[in-house]
């Protein structure tokens, strides 16, 4: 049986779907980062216009981006400097940190 690992979707606040990208293996921070770059990262100016990223596993994505930024990745640094990361309250409540 063929399965996917999810369908991350970029949606504007007005509910317009900007992009959907099916994941065929595990849902990874690398795939989510690639989706952000493919959707919003044509130029560094385009990437800087992104204001919010809501993601149920942002608790994993943020450290992943921090690590990339420390290694000199410009896209990760721009996201960390210009984007507010949001996670739903039901996911956060399960964390002990």
């Amino acid at each position: 049986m063929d399965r996917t690992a999810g369908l991350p979707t970029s949606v504007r606040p007005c509910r317009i779907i900007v992009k959907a990208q099916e994941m065929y293996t595990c849902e990874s921070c690398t795939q989510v980062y690639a989706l952000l770059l493919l959707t919003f990262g044509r130029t560094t100016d385009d990437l800087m216009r992104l204001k919010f990223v809501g993601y149920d596993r942002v608790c994993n994505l943020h450290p992943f981006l921090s690590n990339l930024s420390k290694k000199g990745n410009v896209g990760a640094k721009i996201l960390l400097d210009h984007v507010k990361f949001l996670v739903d309250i039901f996911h956060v409540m399960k964390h002990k940190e």
Side-chain angles (χ1 to χ4, degrees):
M1 172 187 242
D2 293 330
R3 291 186 167 178
T4 67
L7 186 69
T9 307
S10 302
V11 183
R12 291 179 180 255
C14 60
R15 298 183 186 161
I16 293 174
I17 296 173
V18 178
K19 184 175 182 90
Q21 181 68 43
E22 193 167 18
M23 293 185 181
Y24 293 101
T25 58
C26 65
E27 181 182 346
S28 71
C29 292
T30 303
Q31 290 177 322
V32 173
Y33 177 54
L35 175 67
L36 290 171
L37 290 180
L38 289 171
T39 306
F40 304 104
R42 292 184 140 194
T43 68
T44 54
D45 287 339
D46 288 346
L47 198 54
M48 285 184 205
R49 281 196 279 269
L50 185 61
K51 300 296 179 205
F52 299 96
V53 170
Y55 178 49
D56 65 344
R57 292 184 52 212
V58 82
C59 48
N60 296 329
L61 182 63
H62 197 275
F64 172 80
L65 293 175
S66 293
N67 189 36
L68 285 179
S69 179
K70 288 176 188 170
K71 293 178 180 179
N73 186 295
V74 175
K77 177 150 181 41
I78 289 171
L79 289 173
L80 291 171
D81 291 346
H82 295 278
V83 174
K84 293 187 192 288
F85 293 92
L86 312 168
V87 65
D88 67 87
I89 191 68
F90 300 108
H91 182 82
V92 172
M93 289 171 35
K94 296 177 185 175
H95 284 272
K96 295 180 182 174
E97 299 102 22

